[in-house]
PDB file of all heavy atoms in Angstrom:
ATOM      1  N   TYR B  54      50.606  -6.793   3.781  1.00 96.00           N
ATOM      2  CA  TYR B  54      51.810  -7.234   4.499  1.00 96.00           C
ATOM      3  C   TYR B  54      52.019  -8.751   4.346  1.00 96.00           C
ATOM      4  O   TYR B  54      53.178  -9.219   4.388  1.00 96.00           O
ATOM      5  CB  TYR B  54      51.722  -6.857   5.970  1.00 96.00           C
ATOM      6  CG  TYR B  54      51.998  -5.381   6.179  1.00 96.00           C
ATOM      7  CD1 TYR B  54      51.036  -4.518   6.677  1.00 96.00           C
ATOM      8  CD2 TYR B  54      53.245  -4.813   5.845  1.00 96.00           C
ATOM      9  CE1 TYR B  54      51.277  -3.148   6.818  1.00 96.00           C
ATOM     10  CE2 TYR B  54      53.527  -3.470   5.994  1.00 96.00           C
ATOM     11  CZ  TYR B  54      52.513  -2.630   6.459  1.00 96.00           C
ATOM     12  OH  TYR B  54      52.790  -1.309   6.609  1.00 96.00           O
ATOM     13  N   GLY B  58      55.277 -10.408   3.159  1.00 93.00           N
ATOM     14  CA  GLY B  58      55.859 -11.411   4.052  1.00 93.00           C
ATOM     15  C   GLY B  58      56.469 -12.599   3.333  1.00 93.00           C
ATOM     16  O   GLY B  58      57.226 -13.352   3.896  1.00 93.00           O
ATOM     17  N   ASN B  61      60.021 -11.371   3.358  1.00 91.00           N
ATOM     18  CA  ASN B  61      60.563 -11.031   4.692  1.00 91.00           C
ATOM     19  C   ASN B  61      59.560 -11.518   5.728  1.00 91.00           C
ATOM     20  O   ASN B  61      58.446 -10.986   5.813  1.00 91.00           O
ATOM     21  CB  ASN B  61      60.761  -9.536   4.800  1.00 91.00           C
ATOM     22  CG  ASN B  61      61.254  -9.104   6.172  1.00 91.00           C
ATOM     23  OD1 ASN B  61      61.247  -9.895   7.087  1.00 91.00           O
ATOM     24  ND2 ASN B  61      61.697  -7.853   6.248  1.00 91.00           N
ATOM     25  N   ASN B  62      59.943 -12.508   6.500  1.00 91.00           N
ATOM     26  CA  ASN B  62      59.046 -13.153   7.443  1.00 91.00           C
ATOM     27  C   ASN B  62      58.433 -12.200   8.458  1.00 91.00           C
ATOM     28  O   ASN B  62      57.334 -12.396   8.976  1.00 91.00           O
ATOM     29  CB  ASN B  62      59.747 -14.263   8.142  1.00 91.00           C
ATOM     30  CG  ASN B  62      58.779 -15.384   8.469  1.00 91.00           C
ATOM     31  OD1 ASN B  62      58.183 -15.359   9.534  1.00 91.00           O
ATOM     32  ND2 ASN B  62      58.560 -16.269   7.519  1.00 91.00           N
ATOM     33  N   ASP B  63      59.160 -11.110   8.746  1.00 93.00           N
ATOM     34  CA  ASP B  63      58.660 -10.133   9.724  1.00 93.00           C
ATOM     35  C   ASP B  63      57.323  -9.587   9.274  1.00 93.00           C
ATOM     36  O   ASP B  63      56.434  -9.342  10.115  1.00 93.00           O
ATOM     37  CB  ASP B  63      59.642  -8.995   9.842  1.00 93.00           C
ATOM     38  CG  ASP B  63      60.602  -9.194  11.047  1.00 93.00           C
ATOM     39  OD1 ASP B  63      60.483 -10.280  11.648  1.00 93.00           O
ATOM     40  OD2 ASP B  63      61.397  -8.304  11.330  1.00 93.00           O
ATOM     41  N   PHE B  64      57.191  -9.360   7.968  1.00 95.00           N
ATOM     42  CA  PHE B  64      55.943  -8.773   7.479  1.00 95.00           C
ATOM     43  C   PHE B  64      54.769  -9.752   7.636  1.00 95.00           C
ATOM     44  O   PHE B  64      53.651  -9.370   7.859  1.00 95.00           O
ATOM     45  CB  PHE B  64      56.094  -8.356   6.005  1.00 95.00           C
ATOM     46  CG  PHE B  64      56.916  -7.081   5.855  1.00 95.00           C
ATOM     47  CD1 PHE B  64      58.084  -7.065   5.121  1.00 95.00           C
ATOM     48  CD2 PHE B  64      56.498  -5.913   6.471  1.00 95.00           C
ATOM     49  CE1 PHE B  64      58.801  -5.914   5.017  1.00 95.00           C
ATOM     50  CE2 PHE B  64      57.224  -4.738   6.372  1.00 95.00           C
ATOM     51  CZ  PHE B  64      58.382  -4.728   5.657  1.00 95.00           C
ATOM     52  N   ASP B  65      55.086 -11.041   7.451  1.00 95.00           N
ATOM     53  CA  ASP B  65      54.060 -12.044   7.645  1.00 95.00           C
ATOM     54  C   ASP B  65      53.537 -11.975   9.066  1.00 95.00           C
ATOM     55  O   ASP B  65      52.318 -12.085   9.357  1.00 95.00           O
ATOM     56  CB  ASP B  65      54.658 -13.453   7.380  1.00 95.00           C
ATOM     57  CG  ASP B  65      53.531 -14.480   7.273  1.00 95.00           C
ATOM     58  OD1 ASP B  65      52.811 -14.464   6.267  1.00 95.00           O
ATOM     59  OD2 ASP B  65      53.405 -15.289   8.180  1.00 95.00           O
ATOM     60  N   ARG B  66      54.463 -11.790  10.034  1.00 94.00           N
ATOM     61  CA  ARG B  66      54.041 -11.699  11.446  1.00 94.00           C
ATOM     62  C   ARG B  66      53.251 -10.423  11.699  1.00 94.00           C
ATOM     63  O   ARG B  66      52.280 -10.428  12.440  1.00 94.00           O
ATOM     64  CB  ARG B  66      55.262 -11.782  12.356  1.00 94.00           C
ATOM     65  CG  ARG B  66      55.914 -13.103  12.239  1.00 94.00           C
ATOM     66  CD  ARG B  66      56.890 -13.373  13.393  1.00 94.00           C
ATOM     67  NE  ARG B  66      57.638 -14.553  13.068  1.00 94.00           N
ATOM     68  CZ  ARG B  66      58.927 -14.533  12.797  1.00 94.00           C
ATOM     69  NH1 ARG B  66      59.632 -13.409  12.873  1.00 94.00           N
ATOM     70  NH2 ARG B  66      59.544 -15.643  12.503  1.00 94.00           N
ATOM     71  N   LEU B  67      53.677  -9.358  11.061  1.00 95.00           N
ATOM     72  CA  LEU B  67      52.953  -8.092  11.173  1.00 95.00           C
ATOM     73  C   LEU B  67      51.531  -8.258  10.658  1.00 95.00           C
ATOM     74  O   LEU B  67      50.554  -7.856  11.306  1.00 95.00           O
ATOM     75  CB  LEU B  67      53.672  -6.970  10.411  1.00 95.00           C
ATOM     76  CG  LEU B  67      52.981  -5.570  10.458  1.00 95.00           C
ATOM     77  CD1 LEU B  67      52.903  -5.080  11.935  1.00 95.00           C
ATOM     78  CD2 LEU B  67      53.762  -4.568   9.595  1.00 95.00           C
ATOM     79  N   ALA B  68      51.418  -8.926   9.482  1.00 96.00           N
ATOM     80  CA  ALA B  68      50.102  -9.167   8.927  1.00 96.00           C
ATOM     81  C   ALA B  68      49.258  -9.945   9.925  1.00 96.00           C
ATOM     82  O   ALA B  68      48.047  -9.663  10.116  1.00 96.00           O
ATOM     83  CB  ALA B  68      50.236  -9.982   7.612  1.00 96.00           C
ATOM     84  N   ARG B  69      49.841 -10.930  10.584  1.00 95.00           N
ATOM     85  CA  ARG B  69      49.103 -11.743  11.517  1.00 95.00           C
ATOM     86  C   ARG B  69      48.640 -10.937  12.733  1.00 95.00           C
ATOM     87  O   ARG B  69      47.513 -11.156  13.217  1.00 95.00           O
ATOM     88  CB  ARG B  69      50.007 -12.908  11.974  1.00 95.00           C
ATOM     89  CG  ARG B  69      49.215 -14.043  12.386  1.00 95.00           C
ATOM     90  CD  ARG B  69      50.096 -15.293  12.510  1.00 95.00           C
ATOM     91  NE  ARG B  69      49.354 -16.365  13.112  1.00 95.00           N
ATOM     92  CZ  ARG B  69      49.803 -17.606  13.150  1.00 95.00           C
ATOM     93  NH1 ARG B  69      50.977 -17.899  12.662  1.00 95.00           N
ATOM     94  NH2 ARG B  69      49.079 -18.523  13.721  1.00 95.00           N
ATOM     95  N   GLU B  70      49.477 -10.025  13.174  1.00 94.00           N
ATOM     96  CA  GLU B  70      49.125  -9.147  14.294  1.00 94.00           C
ATOM     97  C   GLU B  70      47.910  -8.287  13.895  1.00 94.00           C
ATOM     98  O   GLU B  70      47.021  -8.090  14.675  1.00 94.00           O
ATOM     99  CB  GLU B  70      50.287  -8.278  14.701  1.00 94.00           C
ATOM    100  CG  GLU B  70      51.430  -9.012  15.360  1.00 94.00           C
ATOM    101  CD  GLU B  70      51.023  -9.526  16.759  1.00 94.00           C
ATOM    102  OE1 GLU B  70      50.196  -8.868  17.397  1.00 94.00           O
ATOM    103  OE2 GLU B  70      51.569 -10.565  17.177  1.00 94.00           O
ATOM    104  N   ILE B  71      47.949  -7.772  12.651  1.00 96.00           N
ATOM    105  CA  ILE B  71      46.840  -6.900  12.211  1.00 96.00           C
ATOM    106  C   ILE B  71      45.563  -7.723  12.068  1.00 96.00           C
ATOM    107  O   ILE B  71      44.495  -7.316  12.486  1.00 96.00           O
ATOM    108  CB  ILE B  71      47.201  -6.235  10.877  1.00 96.00           C
ATOM    109  CG1 ILE B  71      48.439  -5.331  11.050  1.00 96.00           C
ATOM    110  CG2 ILE B  71      45.994  -5.418  10.369  1.00 96.00           C
ATOM    111  CD1 ILE B  71      48.927  -4.719   9.741  1.00 96.00           C
ATOM    112  N   ALA B  72      45.713  -8.966  11.502  1.00 96.00           N
ATOM    113  CA  ALA B  72      44.552  -9.811  11.324  1.00 96.00           C
ATOM    114  C   ALA B  72      43.818 -10.060  12.662  1.00 96.00           C
ATOM    115  O   ALA B  72      42.633 -10.190  12.684  1.00 96.00           O
ATOM    116  CB  ALA B  72      44.959 -11.102  10.644  1.00 96.00           C
ATOM    117  N   TRP B 133      46.481 -20.173   9.352  1.00 95.00           N
ATOM    118  CA  TRP B 133      47.724 -19.488   9.039  1.00 95.00           C
ATOM    119  C   TRP B 133      48.905 -20.459   9.064  1.00 95.00           C
ATOM    120  O   TRP B 133      49.706 -20.522   8.131  1.00 95.00           O
ATOM    121  CB  TRP B 133      47.964 -18.357  10.022  1.00 95.00           C
ATOM    122  CG  TRP B 133      48.757 -17.246   9.382  1.00 95.00           C
ATOM    123  CD1 TRP B 133      50.044 -17.333   8.937  1.00 95.00           C
ATOM    124  CD2 TRP B 133      48.365 -15.900   9.160  1.00 95.00           C
ATOM    125  NE1 TRP B 133      50.461 -16.128   8.420  1.00 95.00           N
ATOM    126  CE2 TRP B 133      49.440 -15.218   8.558  1.00 95.00           C
ATOM    127  CE3 TRP B 133      47.162 -15.184   9.399  1.00 95.00           C
ATOM    128  CZ2 TRP B 133      49.402 -13.857   8.172  1.00 95.00           C
ATOM    129  CZ3 TRP B 133      47.130 -13.844   9.068  1.00 95.00           C
ATOM    130  CH2 TRP B 133      48.219 -13.211   8.444  1.00 95.00           C
ATOM    131  N   PHE B 212      50.162  -0.485  17.724  1.00 92.00           N
ATOM    132  CA  PHE B 212      51.526  -1.025  17.789  1.00 92.00           C
ATOM    133  C   PHE B 212      52.426  -0.120  18.615  1.00 92.00           C
ATOM    134  O   PHE B 212      53.544  -0.502  18.909  1.00 92.00           O
ATOM    135  CB  PHE B 212      52.110  -1.215  16.382  1.00 92.00           C
ATOM    136  CG  PHE B 212      51.424  -2.337  15.628  1.00 92.00           C
ATOM    137  CD1 PHE B 212      50.704  -2.110  14.512  1.00 92.00           C
ATOM    138  CD2 PHE B 212      51.587  -3.632  16.078  1.00 92.00           C
ATOM    139  CE1 PHE B 212      50.095  -3.147  13.806  1.00 92.00           C
ATOM    140  CE2 PHE B 212      50.951  -4.679  15.403  1.00 92.00           C
ATOM    141  CZ  PHE B 212      50.210  -4.439  14.284  1.00 92.00           C
ATOM    142  N   GLY B 221      60.523 -11.114  20.298  1.00 82.00           N
ATOM    143  CA  GLY B 221      59.904 -12.402  20.166  1.00 82.00           C
ATOM    144  C   GLY B 221      58.832 -12.470  19.066  1.00 82.00           C
ATOM    145  O   GLY B 221      58.408 -13.492  18.694  1.00 82.00           O
ATOM    146  N   VAL B 222      58.473 -11.288  18.557  1.00 85.00           N
ATOM    147  CA  VAL B 222      57.509 -11.279  17.483  1.00 85.00           C
ATOM    148  C   VAL B 222      58.274 -11.007  16.120  1.00 85.00           C
ATOM    149  O   VAL B 222      58.189 -11.775  15.181  1.00 85.00           O
ATOM    150  CB  VAL B 222      56.404 -10.226  17.676  1.00 85.00           C
ATOM    151  CG1 VAL B 222      55.419 -10.259  16.507  1.00 85.00           C
ATOM    152  CG2 VAL B 222      55.700 -10.469  18.985  1.00 85.00           C
ATOM    153  N   PHE B 223      58.971  -9.873  16.133  1.00 88.00           N
ATOM    154  CA  PHE B 223      59.679  -9.503  14.887  1.00 88.00           C
ATOM    155  C   PHE B 223      61.214  -9.661  15.052  1.00 88.00           C
ATOM    156  O   PHE B 223      61.735  -9.481  16.181  1.00 88.00           O
ATOM    157  CB  PHE B 223      59.390  -8.030  14.536  1.00 88.00           C
ATOM    158  CG  PHE B 223      57.928  -7.733  14.421  1.00 88.00           C
ATOM    159  CD1 PHE B 223      57.370  -6.723  15.133  1.00 88.00           C
ATOM    160  CD2 PHE B 223      57.104  -8.461  13.588  1.00 88.00           C
ATOM    161  CE1 PHE B 223      56.025  -6.442  15.063  1.00 88.00           C
ATOM    162  CE2 PHE B 223      55.773  -8.210  13.457  1.00 88.00           C
ATOM    163  CZ  PHE B 223      55.224  -7.162  14.227  1.00 88.00           C
ATOM    164  N   ASN B 224      61.895  -9.972  13.995  1.00 87.00           N
ATOM    165  CA  ASN B 224      63.341 -10.026  14.036  1.00 87.00           C
ATOM    166  C   ASN B 224      63.952  -8.612  13.862  1.00 87.00           C
ATOM    167  O   ASN B 224      64.804  -8.243  14.638  1.00 87.00           O
ATOM    168  CB  ASN B 224      63.871 -10.931  12.886  1.00 87.00           C
ATOM    169  CG  ASN B 224      63.453 -12.379  13.128  1.00 87.00           C
ATOM    170  OD1 ASN B 224      63.341 -12.793  14.283  1.00 87.00           O
ATOM    171  ND2 ASN B 224      63.196 -13.075  12.030  1.00 87.00           N
ATOM    172  N   ASN B 225      63.478  -7.918  12.846  1.00 87.00           N
ATOM    173  CA  ASN B 225      64.121  -6.640  12.559  1.00 87.00           C
ATOM    174  C   ASN B 225      63.207  -5.426  12.688  1.00 87.00           C
ATOM    175  O   ASN B 225      63.645  -4.303  12.881  1.00 87.00           O
ATOM    176  CB  ASN B 225      64.692  -6.656  11.143  1.00 87.00           C
ATOM    177  CG  ASN B 225      65.792  -7.707  11.029  1.00 87.00           C
ATOM    178  OD1 ASN B 225      66.660  -7.773  11.894  1.00 87.00           O
ATOM    179  ND2 ASN B 225      65.717  -8.527  10.000  1.00 87.00           N
ATOM    180  N   LEU B 226      61.856  -5.615  12.481  1.00 88.00           N
ATOM    181  CA  LEU B 226      60.970  -4.502  12.502  1.00 88.00           C
ATOM    182  C   LEU B 226      60.960  -3.815  13.871  1.00 88.00           C
ATOM    183  O   LEU B 226      60.857  -4.475  14.908  1.00 88.00           O
ATOM    184  CB  LEU B 226      59.527  -4.948  12.184  1.00 88.00           C
ATOM    185  CG  LEU B 226      59.195  -5.326  10.782  1.00 88.00           C
ATOM    186  CD1 LEU B 226      57.705  -5.537  10.647  1.00 88.00           C
ATOM    187  CD2 LEU B 226      59.661  -4.285   9.781  1.00 88.00           C
TER     188      LEU B 226
END
Side-chain angles (χ1 to χ4, degrees):
Chain B
Y54 285 116
N61 178 348
N62 212 269
D63 265 6
F64 286 120
D65 192 71
R66 296 197 190 110
L67 179 59
R69 205 165 172 170
E70 289 291 330
I71 298 174
W133 209 298
F212 289 115
V222 182
F223 305 125
N224 295 326
N225 297 314
L226 287 188

